[in-house]
Amino acid sequence: MSTPDIQNTLVLIKPDGLKKSLTGNILTKLAETRLIIVGAKVVSVSRELAEQHYIHLKDKPFFPELLNYIQGKMYGEEYKRVLAMVYRGDGAIQKVRDIAGSTNPEEADSTSIRGAYGRITTKGVFENVIHASSSTADSEREIKLWFKPAEIVGNIYPAKKAMAEAHEHFVWA
Ligand code: UDP
Ligand code: MG
């Protein structure tokens, strides 16, 4: 047996996945990987976060629609969010990509998450219900964009202590 290659990968259940109540189905499919979850949270996606996440696609004609999509703008207030998770384990990136399926849901294997549940909108956006990082460089960039060190269980990347600047923030009333 070869030595394990422990990787981390960012998984997002996109707004269409939440709207279609697919969270349970998607988590069940991903459980086949036997990977562990080291972080999970619901995120209201700002325009800035959307742009940073999809920075590699900024010159594509569908970029404005892609920002609307990941922000959930077309699904109503309750679905302007994503479920963000970090999966970790041996070969995590490819394992999750395989179960997610091809980017284009029409081309994706029909037993994959995207093949089973995705669609192409009339505006041409691939509504493919899930995001999965595609390389170790991408996953590190994406995980650091979406999560703070304290939101991850375990030290998956080096972190350092920093003094919090005085700032207004919410505490439970
Ligand atoms: N996308 C699209 N049309 C395209 C290519 C991508 O609508 O021709 C959307 C789709 O939702 C995809 C996302 O943009 O998941 C990010 O594209 P990327 O090429 O990074 O594909 P992924 O890594 O998500 O498979
Ligand atoms: Mg990608």
Side-chain angles (χ1 to χ4, degrees), residues 107-123:
E107 288 172 3
D109 188 293
S110 62
T111 64
S112 68
I113 293 168
R114 288 167 163 181
Y117 303 123
R119 67 167 188 168
I120 302 179
T121 68
T122 49
K123 288 182 175 162

Side-chain angles (χ1 to χ4, degrees):
M1 227 169 71
S2 54
T3 47
D5 179 14
I6 303 301
Q7 300 172 339
N8 307 297
T9 188
L10 180 76
V11 174
L12 304 176
I13 299 184
K14 295 178 177 180
D16 54 323
L18 298 178
K19 172 100 182 187
K20 292 172 174 171
S21 300
L22 291 171
T23 303
N25 305 52
I26 291 170
L27 295 183
T28 299
K29 283 291 272 179
L30 291 175
E32 291 172 16
T33 62
R34 316 306 297 164
L35 299 168
I36 61 167
I37 298 172
V38 295
K41 62 178 177 179
V42 179
V43 181
S44 166
V45 182
S46 66
R47 188 181 166 88
E48 191 187 5
L49 176 57
E51 283 176 353
Q52 285 303 313
H53 180 73
Y54 283 132
I55 194 83
H56 62 295
L57 298 170
K58 68 176 191 314
D59 296 328
K60 299 283 184 192
F62 57 84
F63 188 62
E65 281 308 320
L66 181 59
L67 297 185
N68 288 340
Y69 168 38
I70 198 66
Q71 292 189 90
K73 289 204 169 162
M74 57 290 266
Y75 309 107
E77 275 312 308
E78 296 100 321
Y79 299 103
K80 284 186 183 167
R81 65 199 66 196
V82 303
L83 181 58
M85 296 172 290
V86 177
Y87 278 77
R88 176 175 173 83
D90 185 26
I93 293 169
Q94 196 56 46
K95 281 179 182 164
V96 174
R97 290 286 297 189
D98 286 348
I99 288 181
S102 300
T103 305
N104 180 336
E106 301 285 323
E107 288 172 3
D109 188 293
S110 62
T111 64
S112 68
I113 293 168
R114 288 167 163 181
Y117 303 123
R119 67 167 188 168
I120 302 179
T121 68
T122 49
K123 288 182 175 162
V125 174
F126 301 165
E127 281 192 348
N128 51 15
V129 305
I130 185 176
H131 168 82
S133 306
S134 45
S135 68
T136 49
D138 280 352
S139 65
E140 180 170 350
R141 188 188 77 83
E142 292 172 1
I143 290 166
K144 289 178 173 176
L145 185 62
W146 287 81
F147 285 85
K148 297 186 177 77
E151 294 172 325
I152 301 285
V153 174
N155 300 312
I156 64 170
Y157 301 120
K160 61 183 182 185
K161 281 190 184 152
M163 296 298 285
E165 282 171 33
H167 65 287
E168 258 187 347
H169 64 287
F170 286 101
V171 295
W172 301 119

